[in-house]
Amino acid sequence: MARIPLNDLQLEILTWIRDGTPDGVYEDYRPRIVARALHNRGLVDVSGHGKNWRATLTTGGAYHLEHGDYPPSDDDPAATSAPRPRPTARTKPAPASKAVAERKPRKPPRVGPTDAMMNTLTAAEDHRIEVEYGQVQRYRQLALTAGRFKKIPDGMQVTVSSDYPTRTAHVTLELLPEWRTRTLDPIPVPGALRGPSDVIKALGTRDDLDIRAAEKNRALRLVEALVVEARHREYTVVAIPAPRKDRWGYVQRTEENTGHIKITLGPDEYRLSIYQLTEKVEHVATKSELARAVRGYALPKWDYIPTGRLGIRIDNRGVTFWGDSWTDRDDQPLDDALPQILQELELTRPGVSGELLTGVRPLFPTTGGERSRSARPRSG
């Protein structure tokens, strides 16, 4: 019986599993749902749940990626045909069956959606194609996949732009802008806090800095490096006062006390926070919690455990170039991202960002269907 061919998304997920299910490609559970369907077809093996979820390619899955079709099965008439009788001196060999003689050549490997997009962009005269407006999110995901698996030529990028009033969208293969290729000077991080700035002294006394003692010193040293470099560039840097607590002990957060430090570049101010990354682990109930559960109390499902990794984010809303948050990564510590953080602030300044917004998408749409740079708080 003929088996249903894979659609574009299933082929994309099958390729993703072949490459080891790398992080950062998908932001939802859709790959796991598709992987389960591929598991039912014998193309992948799926095991585990939650953090222990795993997916690996089977022999059949590898065959499908190489040949663009399922491997021959026992139900294939050609594969289950009776063996030909051994020729003897008195009998002539039986002629090959017509089905075997007329077997069609194998189909060429099927091109996945990411490769198809890149092939179309490369072949287009201006390396620009128009796509359906409703497919914008899909093509943005394909662009991320192309970058993740290094399918984009060196020195180039794939951007997806859309226009709400006309309901049009385009995908473009273009040269990287100058700010993407600029070599940034590293920002040195002090090995110890000797003679810290007033900003660090203020942060060190805050009891709402939700960072473990083991990582707090490094967090303050990272902030100190930003403060020193920003002031060297003649920017104004101040510590943001800690939020007050009400009479019941709850923190009252407002726009004025958001963030840990405030960096002012001309008329614009930017609020930055440093934080500690956590990982979600399944909660193990204690005896007292189990006793409470018997009386009808709900048990927490997850615990959030601090890791040794830190992050810095920009709390202002608006257009982003590199992004609005940076964290320790396996291939890059947060120390190396400090120059990019200051560059992000400089790129979003009025008069600078307007010339560089090609291919840059705001994080937050404004009313009226248009996407533009959101207003930032003004100092004074």
Side-chain angles (χ1 to χ4, degrees), residues 44-261:
V44 301
D45 284 330
V46 176
S47 61
H49 299 279
K51 186 179 178 181
N52 297 321
W53 185 86
R54 298 288 185 274
T56 56
L57 207 63
T58 64
T59 304
Y63 183 95
H64 198 294
L65 286 176
E66 181 178 356
H67 300 281
D69 201 355
Y70 293 93
S73 65
D74 294 338
D75 297 332
D76 188 348
T80 58
S81 58
R84 291 177 294 178
R86 180 180 298 178
T88 63
R90 296 181 180 180
T91 61
K92 294 182 179 181
S97 65
K98 185 176 181 180
V100 174
E102 297 179 357
R103 181 178 295 174
K104 296 181 180 179
R106 295 188 184 278
K107 297 179 181 178
R110 187 173 180 180
V111 178
T114 305
D115 289 326
M117 179 189 71
M118 294 305 303
N119 292 341
T120 305
L121 285 172
T122 303
E125 183 176 355
D126 55 354
H127 303 306
R128 175 182 170 93
I129 58 175
E130 184 172 351
V131 298
E132 295 181 14
Y133 184 81
Q135 295 290 313
V136 167
Q137 287 302 118
R138 176 175 179 269
Y139 277 95
R140 283 182 177 145
Q141 187 65 57
L142 291 177
L144 290 174
T145 303
R148 178 75 179 184
F149 296 119
K150 303 186 184 304
K151 297 180 181 294
I152 302 175
D154 292 339
M156 304 193 77
Q157 66 177 358
V158 174
T159 60
V160 182
S161 58
S162 60
D163 183 67
Y164 181 81
T166 60
R167 299 297 196 279
T168 57
H170 294 85
V171 184
T172 308
L173 176 65
E174 59 190 7
L175 292 174
L176 286 171
E178 184 274 335
W179 58 269
R180 287 281 301 273
T181 59
R182 190 183 307 167
T183 301
L184 304 178
D185 294 330
I187 296 178
V189 178
L193 290 172
R194 298 186 179 91
S197 64
D198 57 308
V199 174
I200 299 305
K201 290 178 180 178
L203 282 182
T205 60
R206 290 183 61 157
D207 57 2
D208 65 330
L209 196 64
D210 196 15
I211 297 176
R212 291 186 308 192
E215 288 81 28
K216 185 174 181 179
N217 180 268
R218 177 174 175 248
L220 294 176
R221 289 188 290 110
L222 288 169
V223 176
E224 177 76 339
L226 276 178
V227 172
V228 172
E229 180 62 25
R231 287 178 172 175
H232 176 72
R233 301 183 189 186
E234 299 184 351
Y235 305 147
T236 302
V237 187
V238 297
I240 296 175
R244 296 181 179 180
K245 295 182 180 180
D246 58 22
R247 59 179 178 175
W248 294 282
Y250 293 102
V251 173
Q252 301 298 309
R253 296 196 178 276
T254 64
E255 184 178 352
E256 292 301 318
N257 59 40
T258 297
H260 295 132
I261 66 172

Side-chain angles (χ1 to χ4, degrees), residues 1-5 70:
M1 182 176 64
R3 284 176 283 186
I4 301 175
Y70 293 93

Side-chain angles (χ1 to χ4, degrees), residues 253-291:
R253 296 196 178 276
T254 64
E255 184 178 352
E256 292 301 318
N257 59 40
T258 297
H260 295 132
I261 66 172
K262 180 170 63 176
I263 302 179
T264 304
L265 287 70
D268 277 8
E269 63 181 35
Y270 303 86
R271 295 169 178 266
L272 279 68
S273 298
I274 187 161
Y275 59 97
Q276 186 162 32
L277 276 68
T278 60
E279 61 178 349
K280 186 171 69 172
V281 298
E282 190 171 356
H283 178 75
V284 179
T286 62
K287 290 183 179 180
S288 60
E289 288 177 330
L290 292 175

